[in-house]
Amino acid sequence: MGNGIAHVFAQHGYSVALIDISEEALKKAVATIDKNLGRQVEKGAIDESVRQAALGHITTTTFIKEGVKNADLVVEAATENIDLKLKIFKELDENTKAGTILASNTSSISITKIASVTKSPAHVIGMHFMNPVPVMKLVEVIRGYSTSDGVTQQIMELSRHLGKVPVEVNDYPGFVANRILMPMINEAIYSLYEGVAGVQEIDTVMKLGMAHPMGPLQLADFIGLDVCLSILNVLRDGFGNPKYAPCPLLVNMVQAGHKGVKSGSGFYQYKAGSKELEVAERFKK
Ligand code: CAA
């Protein structure tokens, strides 16, 4: 999601230092941003001049220290792994100037826990963007236990400047978005696992019956089945409630490497360069 977040800030005139661990990942990210800005130009959403200006606002580096030393805000969007996030936030804390706001795009990891490894938990906050970031309007702004009023207000205001609609929520497992979304996805997987209906039938019910833009199984593939599994585990452990326990089919699929779009196969199969969805072989009746 990092490239989508960088895209939105750059499009709205902010200078962005995009940081990743490899040059290759950075090249790919900038190419994706360029492609997605191009789409906005084609659709008439922005002018070519905005596209060019946005690209001019982005610099890249593989050195975290270099990238964050002058930043007023850092938005972390690393893999959803708590140890990795704690390590990154310690490093950010050591290498940013006093007063820098440290935000995480985590989809479920506790902001309060992340803030606990920094010297100034009042400056740590959640900025949870939704995929695809340039298109989706919501930013779930998560207040950790110690996040200050001032920092919360700044992030709410900034999100509005980015053309988004921020919603302030408190820091409890899954926040609001995933506390509601993941049990629905899990229930859809249970419906498949128990043979109530097939992949396309389940998705069609939710698309045509509830006006969801995509069915829950397709959405799970887009989010990443490994990410869905990890969020469900956070919900189950955080609330100590077995109602959030992930469906055994989801666990098996992740263990077998079927992680959705990113691995080329989940509930559907994904052909490179094609938008057409095919139900994965093992789920055909
Ligand atoms: N993640 C990534 N990409 C997505 C996506 C998603 N959830 N949803 C759509 N896209 C991509 C599509 O693959 C497509 O890309 P290509 O053109 O490269 O194939 C592009 O966006 C446009 O999609 P559509 O053809 O569907 O175009 P549209 O204009 O009719 O609709 C949309 C676009 C409004 C984004 C619609 O597809 C939609 O509502 N999708 C669901 C979005 C959603 O539910 N997002 C939240 C996911 S949860 C999350 O991000 C947070 C989390 O913590 C888990």
Side-chain angles (χ1 to χ4, degrees), residues 1 35 39 43 107 128-132 135-136 178 181-182 213-214 219 222-223 231 275:
M1 289 179 89
K35 188 182 90 186
R39 264 183 213 216
K43 286 185 178 165
S107 46
H128 184 205
F129 291 84
M130 302 290 136
N131 253 327
V135 178
M136 301 299 283
N178 282 317
L181 176 63
M182 286 302 152
M214 57 172 67
L219 182 56
F222 272 66
I223 292 168
I231 298 173
K275 280 182 85 171

Side-chain angles (χ1 to χ4, degrees), residues 13 101 148 252 259 263 274:
I101 298 177
S148 72
N252 264 357
K259 298 180 184 172
S263 69
S274 162

